[in-house]
Amino acid sequence: MIGKDINKAAEIIKADGLVAFPTETVYGLGANALSPLAVAKIFAAKERPNFDPLIVHIYDIAQVKELTNNVDEKVYRLLERFWPGPLTVVLPKSVLVPDLVTSDLPTVGLRMPDNPIALELIKKANTPLAAPSANKFGQLSPVDAPHVEKQLPDVDYILAGGQTKVGVESTIISIENDVCRLLRPGYITLEDIESAFPGQFRFEKSKPKHIVAPGLLKSHYSPKKPLYFIENKESGFPKNSGVIAHCKTNNYKAERIIYTSENTNKIEVAARLFSSLHQMEEDSHIQQIFIEKVEESGIGLAIMDRLRKAAFQYSQTD
Ligand code: AMP
Ligand code: MG
């Protein structure tokens, strides 16, 4: 059921139920992070494998102390600078966090979302919320309440908050011995963090080999129709093709064209990325989707990361 009753949503969380809720990135599927029973329901509803750890959402920095061990003062300053915001930080976990949440890893991913509905829900539920994206495992991420209902019609409650602002999942970094490592690109870039804290951390772009998590899988975030990159602007498209373009002056002939931006503004492209893919997925006239690439800098890194995974099974040469 879709609604706007935060009190009701908080009561459902307290009773170990599942509530989908808006954040600034995508909609999350939330449950009490400290209740293994509630967390198990997330994995079941999403059909998500147990080896994929969940991000824990908080509303107050004081909660970091309870959920982690041995976190440096310097890291707290980083959290204060970027939270609330689309940044997840992986830190050594405390015994309070059930192993199911972190897939037996000794660390936990924490985030304070920049969305007033999400923050109020976490506060009223009076517990941190484990919340992956509110979609079936491997499918398109939801950026509006109806997207959640399409994939997860049986969740206890869907808290509506309109379209999300950022549109791609949070940046994930780990911090260990002053080394700050990018695990998943997002709206906040390593350069943003480096320029806020010059010389204070060592920054690593390469992913660590020992973490196995589907955020890092090659195929993910996929629509239910074949998705291809547009390699050549003049090329024609097969019948029943949908084209997603990022600049209005790019002229294509196709059954349907969706523009994510007037003029390749990457912030706009990111915000409309998943909703344009949902629209193509829902359009019964469209049999395959073609999408333009974007330049891989800033949030363009996150856009291309998601698109390569979404298109992986159809474009293995890319
Ligand atoms: P999402 O599917 O958006 O909820 O993001 C979950 C992703 O966060 C996982 O697939 C991992 O890539 C990452 N993640 C969460 N917790 C951890 C952790 N403790 N260590 C490393 N990566 C994590
Ligand atoms: Mg996800």
Tab-separated table of all heavy atoms in Angstrom, residues 26 46 48 52 132-135 138-139 141-142 169 184 220-221, ligand 2:
chain	number	residue	atom	x	y	z
A	26	VAL	N	17.749	6.738	-4.212
A	26	VAL	CA	16.673	5.901	-4.743
A	26	VAL	C	15.782	5.514	-3.558
A	26	VAL	O	16.121	5.820	-2.411
A	26	VAL	CB	17.234	4.633	-5.460
A	26	VAL	CG1	18.227	5.015	-6.559
A	26	VAL	CG2	17.879	3.653	-4.488
A	46	LYS	N	13.371	-9.174	-1.624
A	46	LYS	CA	14.152	-8.768	-2.793
A	46	LYS	C	14.691	-9.952	-3.588
A	46	LYS	O	15.221	-9.772	-4.671
A	46	LYS	CB	15.363	-7.932	-2.347
A	46	LYS	CG	15.058	-6.484	-2.074
A	46	LYS	CD	16.333	-5.730	-1.731
A	46	LYS	CE	17.357	-5.670	-2.834
A	46	LYS	NZ	17.284	-4.538	-3.726
A	48	ARG	N	17.304	-11.409	-2.657
A	48	ARG	CA	18.705	-10.954	-2.676
A	48	ARG	C	19.575	-12.014	-2.018
A	48	ARG	O	19.236	-12.534	-0.948
A	48	ARG	CB	18.787	-9.644	-1.899
A	48	ARG	CG	20.177	-9.022	-1.745
A	48	ARG	CD	20.007	-7.638	-1.149
A	48	ARG	NE	21.207	-6.976	-0.757
A	48	ARG	CZ	21.570	-5.762	-1.197
A	48	ARG	NH1	20.830	-5.136	-2.086
A	48	ARG	NH2	22.651	-5.175	-0.751
A	52	ASP	N	25.314	-10.391	-0.047
A	52	ASP	CA	25.309	-8.976	-0.434
A	52	ASP	C	24.924	-8.109	0.771
A	52	ASP	O	23.749	-8.036	1.136
A	52	ASP	CB	24.309	-8.788	-1.581
A	52	ASP	CG	24.411	-7.414	-2.210
A	52	ASP	OD1	25.319	-6.654	-1.832
A	52	ASP	OD2	23.580	-7.107	-3.073
A	132	PRO	N	18.389	-1.686	1.545
A	132	PRO	CA	18.910	-1.709	0.180
A	132	PRO	C	17.885	-1.026	-0.733
A	132	PRO	O	16.831	-0.592	-0.247
A	132	PRO	CB	18.978	-3.202	-0.131
A	132	PRO	CG	17.850	-3.782	0.654
A	132	PRO	CD	17.687	-2.916	1.887
A	133	SER	N	18.180	-0.904	-2.007
A	133	SER	CA	17.187	-0.316	-2.909
A	133	SER	C	15.945	-1.203	-2.959
A	133	SER	O	16.033	-2.432	-2.868
A	133	SER	CB	17.785	-0.125	-4.297
A	133	SER	OG	18.379	-1.318	-4.746
A	134	ALA	N	14.768	-0.556	-3.105
A	134	ALA	CA	13.486	-1.278	-2.985
A	134	ALA	C	13.063	-1.869	-4.332
A	134	ALA	O	12.049	-1.496	-4.912
A	134	ALA	CB	12.416	-0.328	-2.445
A	135	ASN	N	13.890	-2.791	-4.815
A	135	ASN	CA	13.589	-3.468	-6.077
A	135	ASN	C	13.967	-4.937	-5.937
A	135	ASN	O	14.683	-5.306	-5.007
A	135	ASN	CB	14.404	-2.839	-7.223
A	135	ASN	CG	15.895	-2.818	-6.914
A	135	ASN	OD1	16.356	-1.961	-6.181
A	135	ASN	ND2	16.615	-3.773	-7.445
A	138	GLY	N	18.866	-7.286	-8.792
A	138	GLY	CA	19.356	-7.250	-10.176
A	138	GLY	C	18.539	-6.387	-11.119
A	138	GLY	O	18.976	-6.095	-12.219
A	139	GLN	N	17.330	-5.954	-10.674
A	139	GLN	CA	16.472	-5.181	-11.583
A	139	GLN	C	16.651	-3.674	-11.377
A	139	GLN	O	17.445	-3.223	-10.558
A	139	GLN	CB	15.019	-5.603	-11.395
A	139	GLN	CG	14.802	-7.067	-11.808
A	139	GLN	CD	13.347	-7.484	-11.752
A	139	GLN	OE1	12.436	-6.667	-11.755
A	139	GLN	NE2	13.116	-8.785	-11.697
A	141	SER	N	16.534	0.130	-10.327
A	141	SER	CA	16.323	0.783	-9.037
A	141	SER	C	15.097	1.695	-9.103
A	141	SER	O	14.834	2.310	-10.132
A	141	SER	CB	17.550	1.620	-8.677
A	141	SER	OG	18.684	0.806	-8.599
A	142	PRO	N	14.331	1.786	-7.993
A	142	PRO	CA	13.121	2.620	-7.982
A	142	PRO	C	13.439	4.065	-7.608
A	142	PRO	O	14.131	4.311	-6.622
A	142	PRO	CB	12.273	1.967	-6.881
A	142	PRO	CG	13.279	1.340	-5.967
A	142	PRO	CD	14.516	1.040	-6.742
A	169	GLU	N	22.382	5.493	-6.871
A	169	GLU	CA	22.686	5.061	-5.510
A	169	GLU	C	23.886	5.823	-4.942
A	169	GLU	O	24.712	6.358	-5.683
A	169	GLU	CB	23.008	3.555	-5.499
A	169	GLU	CG	21.843	2.666	-5.881
A	169	GLU	CD	21.602	2.586	-7.375
A	169	GLU	OE1	22.321	3.255	-8.136
A	169	GLU	OE2	20.680	1.869	-7.764
A	184	ARG	N	32.040	2.202	-4.713
A	184	ARG	CA	30.995	2.396	-5.743
A	184	ARG	C	30.910	3.899	-6.031
A	184	ARG	O	30.765	4.691	-5.099
A	184	ARG	CB	29.645	1.888	-5.219
A	184	ARG	CG	28.498	2.122	-6.202
A	184	ARG	CD	27.215	1.439	-5.757
A	184	ARG	NE	26.571	2.124	-4.655
A	184	ARG	CZ	25.485	1.691	-4.026
A	184	ARG	NH1	24.927	0.545	-4.404
A	184	ARG	NH2	24.951	2.370	-3.037
A	220	HIS	N	23.786	-5.942	-13.213
A	220	HIS	CA	22.945	-5.443	-12.108
A	220	HIS	C	22.076	-4.336	-12.680
A	220	HIS	O	22.292	-3.912	-13.815
A	220	HIS	CB	23.867	-4.897	-11.009
A	220	HIS	CG	23.317	-5.035	-9.621
A	220	HIS	ND1	23.027	-6.247	-9.053
A	220	HIS	CD2	22.988	-4.122	-8.679
A	220	HIS	CE1	22.563	-6.061	-7.822
A	220	HIS	NE2	22.522	-4.776	-7.572
A	221	TYR	N	21.123	-3.833	-11.920
A	221	TYR	CA	20.324	-2.652	-12.301
A	221	TYR	C	19.638	-2.795	-13.670
A	221	TYR	O	19.508	-1.810	-14.399
A	221	TYR	CB	21.209	-1.385	-12.374
A	221	TYR	CG	22.152	-1.148	-11.232
A	221	TYR	CD1	23.531	-1.247	-11.401
A	221	TYR	CD2	21.671	-0.805	-9.968
A	221	TYR	CE1	24.408	-1.009	-10.342
A	221	TYR	CE2	22.542	-0.563	-8.917
A	221	TYR	CZ	23.898	-0.671	-9.117
A	221	TYR	OH	24.766	-0.434	-8.082
B	2	MG	MG	20.406	-1.924	-5.333
